[in-house]
Amino acid sequence: MIHFPGVADSKFSFLPTQEITKNWNISSRRSEMSRFYMGGKVVDSVDFLRKRHWAWRLDLWPFAIMYGAWLAAIVPRSDAVDAFVVLGGLVALHILIFLFTVWSVDFKCFVQYSKVNDIHHADTCKVTPAKFSGSKEIVPLHFRKLAGSSNSVDVEEIYFDFRKQRFIYSKEKNTFCKLPYPSKEKIGYYLKNTGYGTDTKVFAATEKWGRNVFEYPQPTFSKLLKEQIMEPFFVFQVFCVGLWCLDEYWYYSLFTLFMLFMFESTMAKSRLKTLSELRRVKVDSRTLMVYRCGKWVKMSGTELLPGDVVSIGRSTDQSGENKSVPADMLILAGSAIVNEAILTDESTPQWKVSVMGRGIEEILSPRRDKANVLFGGTKILQHTPDKTFHMKTPDGGCIAVVLRTGFETSQGKLMRTILFSTERVTANSWESGLFILFLVVFALIASGYVLKKGLEDPTRSKYKLFLSCSLIITSVIPPELPMELSIAVNTSLIALARCGIYCTEPFRIPFAGKVDICCFDKTGTLTSDDMEFSGVGGLTDSEDLETDISKLPLRTLEILASCHALVFVDNKLVGDPLEKAALKGIDWSYKSDEKSMPKKGGNAVQIVPRHHFASHLKRMAVVVRVQEQFFSFVKGAPETIQERLVDMPAFYVKIYKKHTRQGSRVLALAYKSLPEMTVSEARSLERDVVESGLTFAGFAVFNCPIRGDSATILSELKGSSHDLVMITGDQALTACHVAGQVNIISKPALILGSGKNSEEYQWLSPDETDIIKYSENEVEALSESYDLCIGGDCIEMLQQTSGILKVIPYVKVFARVAPEQKELIMTTFKSVGRVTLMCGDGTNDVGALKQAHIGVALLNAIPPAQKEKSSSEAPSKNDTAKSGKSKKLNSAVENGEGPSKSRAVSRLGSTGNQAFKRHLTAAEMQREKLKKLMNELNEEGADGRSAPIVKLGDASMASPFTAKHASVAPTTDVIRQGRSTLVTTLQMFKILGLNCLATAYVLSVMNLDGVKLGDIQATISGVFTAAFFLFISHARPLPTLSAERPHPNIFCSYVFLSLLGQFSVHLFFLISSVKEAERYMPDECIEPDSDFHPNLVNTVSYMVGMMLQVATFAVNYMGHPFNQSILENKPFLYALLAAVGFFTVITSDLFRDLNDWLKLVPLPRALRDKLMIWAWLMFLCCYTWERFLRWAFPGKMPAWRKRQQRVAGTIEKKKSL
């Protein structure tokens, strides 16, 4: 097996050294354990399991005993109906146990597996991912023998594969470690590497790392459909259909079942399209020259192995499109210009150079040394081979060594982030489940009452009794709940698509209404990508900038004109916008022969070698020749350059900090003369020689203009009860200045930094007048008076001291942060109970965008939609079509949400009043609805109402929301729609809850008294309910965000008191009305199971039911300050007026024929007047109660500080243990 120095020993464990030592000590005390705590970024813990023999599974043998007991005890002693009722209950329980093994990984482990302590006895393991990294999985544990050397025995390797990563058991550490790759070796190791010398080594490496491919199975339509129909809500709906069939409603039941399957099929088809789009990302199978077994051979990119030496350069396919790099590889010789847009979404090409000239003892870091690494998936636009390298390539390419392949490449990591980093949010939220449990309590009470009364009557059919109890439970738990949620979510989805905002996880939209902290990237998000050259400072002790180019020293101009990484690609100058702005600002030109010249005449500056910008060095340098004189020109961060100056001016620090505090980007310029030498000697100068002993040449000052609407948008967000945070890679002083301009900070700022003693940290004001000693326990108190800012280096310090939870939640500005730290910030906010929104661009934001509850990716700057039109106003079809057009969007593909609305409306039209009847009368109506539904399903979003799938190549693939805007305005659109959806779903839960509580009473107490409703009555009621639900879901959000927040959860004092108060009034009204009607009716005995026939009690029950229905919708409609009011929502207003009018007409008996058709008997005048007065009193009571509760329990910012203190305290206890 091939050996890489240092790799086999390091194993690249997840854990910090102290954590490894701690776990190792624990493990050595317990040599046998059933669980390993790994505490890594991907895996938190691993449990060892062994699959039970099928006969001993807990979902088989207990039921075998129960079925046997049924045969032996129940069948001989009971009649056939009772026996089959018991059997039905047993089968239902058995199916439920099976389904729980599908829904819960922990339950599946309990039922089908047994825990083992010895790893060699296990055949499976349960992997618990790190917090906020998705759900648990059961994966097989693999054992294999690896061939040892000639004098050693075979080595056993134990491993499991989890989310496209392999974890190998280490006996030394007694834990699992990630499969190591040769990506962190010494530079000298790579320069000496000559690839694989024998086929045996190639075979061993292939066995270890596998092929260089993205292998994830394409799920079939049938598999996806199976997943859909296994969801709890769908199973419940099918169960309801079965009960309705038992109650002889065959036509309605089969129609409903068919419609359910059609809807789920459409959703599965949509998911299949999305997954197919992901599968299009694959390793480029371009043919490369690879050095194996001492010779160059042609090989496909999919056959590359870590450690291979390859020749790579620009290559195009038949259409002229550049082919992508197949793996992460380190350039050993040559240079290349690379487009990394697929990884960073930045269109600026990057210059990649070889590691020649680097110290051979240096350890490679692909993140730090990215200027030397070609990343998988990027495209080479231009390459230059190095003919002086000891290895010669047959095709004139750059020589590189492969570092990582497959899912471990940068592109592979992005794919893993997209596929696995968080659990997808679906309609089946925990709130829906708890809400249903709340209603089940009432359902069980009602059905228990019916069962008790039924068993008291020996003549009553047990089968009918069982059916009645079951129907009560299924009526109280509304099967249409997912459809109601779909209506609200789908309406917002379409509205967002019209604003040019596309959503890949629709059921995240309600989360946007709960957001309480909004985080923003700076460059390219709050500010423009374009840089403006402002002038040069620091040439004298004056703080003013010199903007007149003719007054600048020649050497300063030459540095600005030549110390850059600009390059010509296809005769077009490309590179950093800042460097292009400098060249334009000083009126010089740059030619493809690497010469810079003043446009008005003068000496040319010839660039000899470049030492490219390195983020860890914070500087770049060039050696140039002006006439026959050589110079080294250097530019970089002022604090870095000052250490390399021979003579630093006294005003140096004061000048650069003054401009930095004003939000400017400041670069220090410096140079030195070099002795006479040849060009080859100049090329071979070591970087440290070039960048030392420098003379100061001024500060180049650039401004990055803030986008026009950034301050306005953020001010609106702040005024609508949101905390604002900036997370940027820029310098702290600049970040604080911009944060002040866009209203993120309003109090005096303090920046955390290391003091004179590097081990001590202190808070420093931007003007350095305030200095406060740092203490993690005083951060909360400090945040009351100051807005805090910390840098990436301080975050590293906090990780080492476990101060993350005590500091990060109180910080307003994060500067100089790496992408992983952005993700850490998001997870910390989530840990303390914040609901987060992250707005950013570029793939350095991907982790944070994915971890945030609401991630909004801004892509490909285009002008935002005109603000004259409120976002809530629907544009014309042409405008909609235009907003959807983009090269990166596939507008022809629907996301599967569109049909949910039509399906839900049809469903509601037919099942609106679940309380009374389970079928419609006219078969023609059903056929018409079915025809309309099928037409809409087959249109596949042709009407422009479906949001398109966003293609790969964008940060958006890892973000739930994608906005094609050059502005942060989409954040307010998303939050407005989120709040609208949240209050709409909240009112739907309340309305369904009130309807279902009334249903429990109607189907139990009143049903036993013989109160029933007719077919036509139930149908009319269902039509009104369908219309009401449809129109309240179409309420548009108000154009401005309010300071008042919506209630984030169903389970709060406001909702409970509102439900109980209104239900009490409804119940009192219902009972009083029926009792009053009974006074006017002669005594007659009505059988509970008899057919419907009109009488006064039935008529009053129906009228009261209609009144309650109208009142419930009118009282619980949530209008201002989030949505349109009832008067503004015209369709809902007209539906309410129509219902009130209809109720008035039938109550006053104006049209006798209508009442006869509805099977309503005439009401005595006194009873009619009482009903009308009681109805108004009931409405006024409910309305007053609801308005009082909204005033008494307004939505508030979540109390996250208590949770933060609790979580931090828990961590402190764990540390002490």
Side-chain angles (χ1 to χ4, degrees), residues 26 137 413 415 487 644 747 779 1018 1109 1159 1176:
I26 293 169
E137 288 182 32
K413 285 179 181 176
M415 288 303 301
I487 291 178
R644 299 182 165 267
K747 293 181 278 194
V779 171
Q1109 187 178 338
K1159 297 186 178 178
W1176 279 109

Side-chain angles (χ1 to χ4, degrees), residues 27 33-38 44-46 48 169 174-176:
S27 301
M33 54 201 302
S34 62
R35 170 175 293 182
F36 280 134
Y37 289 98
M38 295 169 65
D44 182 59
S45 64
V46 179
F48 297 135
Y169 178 66
N174 200 23
T175 188
F176 283 90

Side-chain angles (χ1 to χ4, degrees), residues 152 245 366 397 499 696 858 875 1025:
S152 67
C245 284
C499 298
F696 179 60
L858 305 180
T1025 304

